[in-house]
Amino acid sequence: RQVSNAFRFFEDHQVKEFREVFRIMDSNGDDKVDAKDLEETFERIGQPISKDQISSMLAEANAPVTFTVFLTLMAEKFSGTDSAQAITSAFAAFDDDASGTIDADYLRECMTTMGDHFTDEEV
């Protein structure tokens, strides 16, 4: 992992937001997120999680999950995602009358018959 690049990947306000999320997840305040922290975090938000899921999440880090490791993991998750501008431009292609809206039926038809052919469940 290239830890040093993680801080450059995000803007300052995003790093601050991730720091706050990390602080919330670090329920015992030891500057590391471990299995117990994840279990408590998911419990607080009412989301069930298994021990296997927790182990899998922690295995992605290959190291104790400090804030820097956490930010690096987030950078890896977000790399390859499109920017808001790219997503807006993609949807603008379906906004024929430039009204800022897209007909849901038309979008569904396009998504299920063109390109990657999404299923109805995916749409």
Side-chain angles (χ1 to χ4, degrees):
R1 285 201 157 72
Q2 295 226 309
V3 173
S4 61
N5 288 338
F7 285 90
R8 286 187 242 146
F9 186 83
F10 297 109
E11 295 179 21
D12 288 345
H13 75 277
Q14 292 172 307
V15 172
K16 287 177 185 173
E17 289 174 10
F18 280 121
R19 190 175 302 279
E20 180 62 19
V21 168
F22 182 83
R23 189 190 63 71
I24 291 168
M25 292 174 65
D26 179 20
S27 53
N28 64 2
D30 67 353
D31 294 326
K32 294 183 193 91
V33 172
D34 59 18
K36 183 74 172 155
D37 292 323
L38 287 175
E39 184 178 350
E40 289 178 12
T41 298
F42 278 87
E43 188 176 291
R44 278 195 313 261
I45 63 172
Q47 184 71 32
I49 188 167
S50 70
K51 301 253 188 244
D52 287 342
Q53 288 172 308
I54 290 172
S55 294
S56 177
M57 292 170 87
L58 292 172
E60 287 183 45
N62 294 325
V65 182
T66 62
F67 176 69
T68 302
V69 171
F70 175 75
L71 192 64
T72 302
L73 289 167
M74 294 299 103
E76 289 174 1
K77 296 287 184 198
F78 282 95
S79 69
T81 59
D82 291 324
S83 68
Q85 183 178 357
I87 293 169
T88 301
S89 295
F91 278 100
F94 296 96
D95 183 13
D96 293 332
D97 61 359
S99 65
T101 62
I102 303 170
D103 179 74
D105 292 332
Y106 173 63
L107 183 60
R108 175 180 293 282
E109 178 186 338
C110 291
M111 292 179 75
T112 57
T113 62
M114 299 165 54
D116 290 333
H117 296 277
F118 288 90
T119 65
D120 284 330
E121 291 170 355
E122 291 171 322
V123 174

